[in-house]
Amino acid sequence: LGSALVCAGSAALNHYLERDSDALMKRTRNRPLPKGVISSNSAMIFGILLVLSGVLLICLEVNLLTAFLSLLTAFLYVLVYTPMKKVNWLNTTIGAIPGAIPPMGGWSAATGNLELGAWILFLILFVWQHPHFYSIAWLFKEDYKRAGFKMLSLDDSTGQRIFRHTVLYALALIPVSVLPFLIGISGTKYLIGALALGIGLLFYSRNLQKTGSNHAAHLLLKASVLYLPALLILIVIDRSF
């Protein structure tokens, strides 16, 4: 519940900060703030209250470390990643940091500390977010251009630069996803499944690089959305059976 509150509050504050940009993009122009359904001040206050109540709940009911990680996630997402989208295409990499902290929060909630396994989960999510969000950046590049966002998909009209980055991160994800097996927190079932999932994601990344089509970007987006829960379920199954 605390994590959900912090997540929802961060999203509300993101909507508040990007309300003018959202109004310029087809994908977001029907959000509550651009449509005038909710006032900007109400959204800001609502977001702050959600984040603070979530952090307080985690602090009281879980532990201080997990509360700190939740607050850090919200801070980096709202006050670092969100404004950086107007500054530099590296915003995707910066944004992948708060996007990868939540499993560390889960680890610290269960154990009270951050062991090597927690950092490996962070690394898996950090790397995974690049193919995932690069496919979105390619699909909605015109929207991002209208809003004035500095995205890698706008840095090269041919798309070859973002495609190359996508393939490199998908390739890196294969050895990174094997790390839980190498340090002994997951077994052979996980290893086989992780390799299969990683090869599949790499295949769709290469397909996007070869074709440069929106259809290929859609397929990669779907593959990335399926990849993460499948990998995490593999961890659970491997530990349980």
Side-chain angles (χ1 to χ4, degrees):
L1 177 59
S3 296
L5 289 170
V6 174
C7 181
S10 299
L13 291 173
N14 172 265
H15 280 224
Y16 167 75
L17 291 175
E18 294 190 340
R19 59 195 184 280
D20 293 333
S21 299
D22 284 345
L24 300 174
M25 298 194 292
K26 292 179 180 179
R27 184 171 64 93
T28 56
R29 63 189 180 191
N30 289 320
R31 286 178 174 177
L33 292 181
K35 292 283 287 186
V37 176
I38 298 172
S39 72
S40 299
N41 285 339
S42 296
M44 179 184 67
I45 295 169
F46 181 62
I48 292 172
L49 288 176
L50 284 179
V51 170
L52 294 180
S53 60
V55 171
L56 179 62
L57 180 61
I58 294 171
C59 185
L60 294 175
E61 298 295 331
V62 186
N63 58 52
L64 186 59
L65 176 57
T66 308
F68 168 75
L69 290 172
S70 298
L71 185 59
L72 179 63
T73 302
F75 171 80
L76 291 174
Y77 178 73
V78 175
L79 296 178
V80 179
Y81 164 65
T82 296
M84 194 172 179
K85 288 159 76 173
K86 290 288 186 79
V87 177
N88 192 285
W89 64 266
L90 285 170
N91 63 74
T92 301
T93 299
I94 299 300
I97 296 173
I101 293 177
M104 299 179 74
W107 192 290
S108 68
T111 67
N113 56 54
L114 293 177
E115 299 164 319
L116 180 59
W119 290 100
I120 288 175
L121 290 177
F122 170 89
L123 188 58
I124 290 172
L125 261 78
F126 176 82
V127 176
W128 165 83
Q129 286 176 85
H130 289 81
H132 174 72
F133 284 112
Y134 283 154
S135 63
I136 294 174
W138 184 249
L139 283 169
F140 297 103
K141 55 184 179 294
E142 295 303 323
D143 255 359
Y144 289 130
K145 185 177 181 180
R146 276 191 291 270
F149 288 140
K150 306 294 183 182
M151 308 301 289
L152 187 57
S153 55
L154 300 175
D155 211 45
D156 173 16
S157 60
T158 67
Q160 287 308 307
R161 191 176 181 196
I162 192 172
F163 299 154
R164 185 167 61 252
H165 279 246
T166 301
V167 170
L168 287 174
Y169 276 105
L171 186 62
L173 189 56
I174 296 175
V176 167
S177 67
V178 170
L179 290 176
F181 170 79
L182 295 179
I183 69 166
I185 62 173
S186 295
T188 306
K189 297 186 190 72
Y190 169 81
L191 174 63
I192 296 171
L195 288 172
L197 288 170
I199 292 170
L201 195 66
L202 179 60
F203 168 81
Y204 286 108
S205 298
R206 282 283 295 134
N207 185 47
L208 175 60
Q209 185 181 37
K210 287 188 289 186
T211 66
S213 67
N214 282 355
H215 177 66
H218 270 293
L219 290 177
L220 174 58
L221 178 59
K222 290 178 181 178
S224 68
V225 168
L226 292 173
Y227 174 94
L228 189 60
L231 190 79
L232 298 178
I233 290 170
L234 269 175
I235 294 177
V236 175
I237 291 175
D238 186 84
R239 294 289 291 178
S240 302
F241 302 99

